[in-house]
Every structure is written in structure tokens, then in C-alpha cells.
């Protein structure tokens, strides 16, 4: 009995010893693991090297090494290649025979190179996109024009910038169709005073440059083909065709245009000599002039101008030739991109001749279409 009891006691003591030894080992290794975790959290390769170097002779060093490599693999999964490479070098330096660590370092280097190429490509794409956007801004700079008064800060702290003039559209165009072009022809020498009905078309195009100088062109064509008068005093056809180039300078006025163009003023021939006697049959004239455009009158806009027709210098029967125009625009509808308006205008051509004077004045009723300037 005594022997059996002693065997049981020895067995229990042996088990307690082995158990205490195992627990001691696990507690020791666990403490090293915690220190390794701290090194990886702080990404401190020097402290990691110091920790592994101090335990290279420990019989459980392989556990510490394996745990470190496990932490390195987790870094690879998270694409944290910089510290993964540094930690792998620490493992290799402390155990040159660790072939797994060498292979791991090679794997990390390849993955890191691929990541660098990918990041470089992303950076190149970003730079290309920035260059494209910058080029687009440069293209739009010519179409964007803004003037602001000084910013005003309110008592609440809000800052407001009020626009003195904001223009986002660089081009302005307008087409007017004269549904009724009523002309009066007066010639004092031949006592002709006749009325004529016709149609007309008017076109305007302007481009605002970056320095706010406005360049453009005007075109006009009008034909009166129906006359109201006695047959022996009736000119069968009147026509006026005008093309001009113009410019407005911000230093002077954005509404005042200097114009230079060419005007063809014609009158048809009649079988009865008395009908066209003394009437200027054709004056083809370059000209210079000025014109004020889009002068605001409430919701209406006013245009008026005058021209000197140089064609009289080449016509022996005409001493002086001049022209003038006036138009009032009444807006009545605005869509997203165009607006409609009613135009009531007067167009006049005056000739001082060797004998008497001749005047051609038209009243024009037209429907206009123009782009919306934002």
C-alpha cells in the first residue's frame, strides 16, 4: 500500500512540475509576443532588432521568429511594404540561415516594385488629367469675362462679392427679318416722291476678346419691289446692300463701335424716263461710320449710327453722300439659348447732288432672334 501511495504522489508531483514548466514557457513567450506587437505598432525596426538579438540563443527563438514572420505577412496583406521589408531584414540579420525569410524578402521586393509602378501610373494619369483641365480652362478663358466690385463683409460675418458686369458668353449674334420695309424716295430736282414696300434682313455678329475689345461684322440687305405712285413718277425697284466690319474698345465705350464697310445703293430703270430722271441709279461706296448699340431704355434697347459714304468722290453727279440708322428693340420672349424681339427701325440714305438732293428713308418692322448672353 505504501509503495502505491508513493507512486501516486510522485506522479502528481511530476505532473505539477511539467505543468508549471509549460505554463512558464507560454507566459515567457507570450511576453515576447507582446513586445513584438509593440514594435510592429510603432514600426520601430531598431527596437525589433534589439528584441530578437537579445533572444537569438533562446531555445524558443524559433517561436519568436515565426511570430515575427506572421506579423510581416499581415503587413504584406495590408500593402505596408516599407516596414515589411525592414522587419524581414531584421529577421535575416539575426538568422542568416532562415531561407523562408529570404524568400519572403524577395516576394516583398517584387510586390513593392509592382506597387511603385502602379502608383507612378496613377500619378501620371493624375498629372495628365490636371493638364487637360488646365488646357480646358485656358480655352475657356477667352470666353469668360468677369468684373467685380470690392467684396463687402456684413455684420454677421458673411462676405458678398457683387458683379458689376458678368459675361460668360464671348459671342453675340442677332438676325432680324424685316417683314415690312416701307421706303420713301424723295428727289427734289425731278419732283419724285414715291412710297415703296419691300422686305429686308439684318445680321450682327460680335466676338469679345480677352482684353474686352469687341470685334464684329454687320450685314444688311433690303429690297423694295412694290411702289405706290403715278406710273410716270415710279422707280420700279430700290435696293440697299451693306456689309461692315466694326470694333469697340473698352477704353472708350463698350457700346460705341467704329465701323468700316461697303454699301451698294441701287435703283432700277423704268421705261419712262421721267420716272428715274435725276435719281441716283447706283452708288457703290466704301464708308466710315460710328454706331452706338444696345443703349438700355428700360427693357428696350436703342441702336443708332451714322456713316460717311465715300462713293460720292467717284460720282460726278453727287457732292455729298451720307447715311444713318436707328432701331428700337422690344423684347417679348426669352428661351434657354435664344430670345425674340420686335424691332422698329429707320434707315436713311442722303445724297446732295449738283441739282437738288435725294433722300431714301425706310421704316422697317422686323422680328429679331439673338443668342442669350450669360
Amino acid at each position: 500500500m505504501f509503495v502505491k501511495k508513493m507512486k501516486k504522489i510522485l506522479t502528481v508531483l511530476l505532473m505539477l512540475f511539467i505543468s508549471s514548466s509549460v505554463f512558464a514557457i507560454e507566459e515567457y513567450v507570450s511576453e515576447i509576443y507582446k513586445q513584438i506587437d509593440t514594435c510592429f505598432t510603432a514600426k520601430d525596426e531598431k527596437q525589433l532588432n534589439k528584441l530578437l538579438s537579445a533572444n537569438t540563443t533562446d531555445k524558443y527563438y524559433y517561436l519568436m521568429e515565426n511570430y515575427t514572420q506572421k506579423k510581416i505577412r499581415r503587413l504584406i496583406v495590408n500593402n505596408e511594404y516599407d516596414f515589411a521589408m525592414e522587419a524581414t531584414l531584421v529577421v535575416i540579420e539575426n538568422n542568416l540561415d532562415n531561407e523562408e525569410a529570404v524568400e519572403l524578402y524577395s516576394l516583398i521586393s517584387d510586390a513593392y516594385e509592382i506597387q511603385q509602378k502602379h502608383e507612378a501610373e496613377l500619378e501620371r494619369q493624375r498629372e495628365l488629367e490636371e493638364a487637360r483641365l488646365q488646357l480646358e480652362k485656358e480655352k475657356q478663358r477667352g470666353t469668360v469675362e468677369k468684373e467685380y466690385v470690392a467684396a463687402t463683409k456684413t455684420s454677421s460675418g458673411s462676405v458678398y462679392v457683387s458683379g458689376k458686369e458678368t459675361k460668360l458668353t464671348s459671342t453675340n449674334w442677332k438676325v432680324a427679318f424685316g417683314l415690312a420695309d416701307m421706303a420713301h424716295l424723295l428727289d427734289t430736282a425731278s419732283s419724285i416722291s414715291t412710297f415703296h414696300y419691300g422686305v429686308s434682313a439684318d445680321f450682327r455678329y460680335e466676338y469679345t476678346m480677352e482684353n474686352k475689345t469687341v470685334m464684329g461684322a454687320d450685314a444688311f440687305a433690303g429690297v423694295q419691289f412694290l411702289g405706290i405712285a403715278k406710273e410716270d413718277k415710279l422707280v420700279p425697284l430700290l435696293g440697299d446692300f451693306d456689309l461692315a466690319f466694326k470694333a469697340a474698345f473698352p477704353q472708350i465705350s463698350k457700346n460705341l463701335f467704329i465701323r468700316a464697310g461697303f454699301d451698294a445703293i441701287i435703283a432700277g430703270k423704268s421705261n419712262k424716263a421721267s420716272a428715274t430722271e435725276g435719281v441716283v441709279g447706283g452708288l457703290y461706296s466704301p464708308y466710315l461710320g460710328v454706331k452706338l448699340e444696345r443703349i438700355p431704355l428700360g427693357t428696350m434697347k436703342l441702336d443708332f449710327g451714322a456713316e460717311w459714304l465715300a462713293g460720292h468722290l467717284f460720282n460726278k453727279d453727287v457732292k455729298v453722300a451720307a447715311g444713318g440708322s436707328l432701331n428700337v428693340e422690344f423684347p417679348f420672349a426669352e428661351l434657354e439659348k435664344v430670345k425674340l424681339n420686335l424691332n422698329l427701325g429707320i434707315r436713311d440714305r442722303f445724297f446732295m447732288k449738283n441739282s437738288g438732293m435725294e433722300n431714301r428713308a425706310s421704316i422697317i418692322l422686323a422680328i429679331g432672334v439673338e443668342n442669350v448672353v450669360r
Side-chain angles (χ1 to χ4, degrees):
M1 289 293 294
F2 177 77
V3 174
K4 289 182 177 180
K5 287 183 179 179
M6 288 301 295
K7 285 183 178 180
K8 288 182 179 179
I9 292 172
L10 290 174
T11 301
V12 171
L13 290 175
L14 180 61
M15 292 179 64
L16 288 173
F17 175 78
I18 293 172
S19 174
S20 63
S21 300
V22 170
F23 287 130
I25 292 172
E26 290 181 353
E27 183 179 354
Y28 173 74
V29 173
S30 296
E31 182 62 30
I32 298 296
Y33 287 172
K34 291 179 181 179
Q35 296 180 39
I36 292 174
D37 288 339
T38 302
C39 292
F40 273 82
T41 301
K43 290 184 171 55
D44 189 347
E45 74 278 4
K46 292 182 179 179
Q47 185 62 31
L48 178 63
N49 183 52
K50 183 178 179 181
L51 178 62
L52 294 181
S53 299
N55 293 278
T56 53
T57 58
D58 193 287
K59 62 180 179 179
Y60 297 111
Y61 178 75
Y62 73 95
L63 295 176
M64 307 171 199
E65 191 176 52
N66 289 339
Y67 185 76
T68 303
Q69 292 178 189
K70 178 181 177 182
K71 299 287 289 185
I72 292 173
R73 293 188 186 93
R74 187 171 298 174
L75 291 178
I76 297 173
V77 173
N78 295 330
N79 296 326
E80 299 179 37
Y81 298 115
D82 289 331
F83 187 69
M85 293 177 69
E86 293 173 354
T88 306
L89 285 176
V90 169
V91 173
I92 295 172
E93 288 175 0
N94 286 280
N95 183 8
L96 297 176
D97 295 329
N98 190 334
E99 295 180 358
E100 183 181 352
V102 174
E103 292 177 359
L104 187 61
Y105 184 83
S106 178
L107 175 66
I108 297 172
S109 298
D110 293 340
Y112 185 70
E113 183 178 355
I114 293 172
Q115 184 194 42
Q116 291 293 96
K117 289 181 179 179
H118 178 66
E119 291 179 354
E121 178 63 22
L122 291 178
E123 179 64 18
R124 190 179 75 87
Q125 293 294 335
R126 186 187 65 79
E127 291 176 354
L128 288 175
E129 181 64 14
E130 286 185 355
R132 187 189 68 80
L133 293 175
Q134 185 62 30
L135 181 61
E136 193 67 25
K137 289 180 182 178
E138 292 296 329
K139 288 181 179 178
Q140 294 178 358
R141 183 172 296 177
T143 65
V144 179
E145 181 178 301
K146 292 183 179 180
E147 290 183 4
Y148 296 100
V149 297
T152 303
K153 187 172 183 179
T154 64
S155 57
S156 63
S158 300
V159 177
Y160 297 92
V161 180
S162 59
K164 185 167 69 175
E165 178 185 1
T166 303
K167 187 175 181 182
L168 303 178
T169 307
S170 63
T171 58
N172 176 265
W173 58 264
K174 176 182 176 181
V175 180
F177 301 96
L179 304 177
D181 189 341
M182 302 295 298
H184 176 245
L185 172 63
L186 174 64
D187 184 71
T188 59
S190 56
S191 300
I192 293 177
S193 180
T194 57
F195 292 92
H196 302 258
Y197 170 82
V199 293
S200 65
D202 194 359
F203 176 73
R204 176 182 75 206
Y205 177 84
E206 297 169 3
Y207 179 80
T208 303
M209 303 174 70
E210 189 174 350
N211 62 0
K212 301 190 177 88
T213 298
V214 182
M215 307 294 291
D218 294 332
F220 176 85
V223 178
Q224 293 84 31
F225 47 83
L226 293 177
I228 305 172
K230 293 181 180 180
E231 189 176 351
D232 62 343
K233 293 291 185 181
L234 181 62
V235 178
L237 181 70
L238 297 176
D240 189 0
F241 304 92
D242 178 8
L243 176 63
F245 297 96
K246 62 183 182 179
F249 303 95
Q251 299 86 347
I252 302 174
S253 172
K254 66 177 181 179
N255 301 107
L256 178 62
F257 287 86
I258 300 172
R259 304 170 74 242
F262 188 85
D263 198 357
I265 305 165
I266 62 174
K269 297 294 183 181
S270 174
N271 293 330
K272 296 182 178 295
S274 60
T276 57
E277 182 181 359
V279 175
V280 176
L283 184 71
Y284 305 96
S285 174
Y287 69 82
L288 293 174
V290 293
K291 190 174 183 181
L292 281 167
E293 296 189 8
R294 298 184 295 282
I295 305 301
L297 297 174
T299 58
M300 302 179 296
K301 291 182 181 179
L302 173 67
D303 299 346
F304 63 91
E307 299 88 34
W308 168 62
L309 304 176
H312 73 87
L313 299 174
F314 315 104
N315 191 313
K316 61 181 181 180
D317 296 325
V318 182
K319 293 181 178 180
V320 177
S325 62
L326 182 145
N327 183 74
V328 181
E329 178 184 294
F330 304 87
F332 64 84
E334 181 171 330
L335 306 177
E336 182 179 356
K337 294 185 178 181
V338 298
K339 55 185 176 181
L340 307 178
N341 46 65
L342 179 67
N343 294 265
L344 181 61
I346 298 174
R347 186 176 176 88
D348 188 80
R349 291 295 181 262
F350 172 80
F351 310 124
M352 179 63 71
K353 302 186 291 187
N354 293 327
S355 57
M357 68 92 176
E358 179 181 331
N359 192 73
R360 304 183 188 186
S362 298
I363 296 178
I364 303 172
L365 180 63
I367 297 295
V369 181
E370 61 182 300
N371 67 319
V372 176
V373 178
R374 299 299 185 186

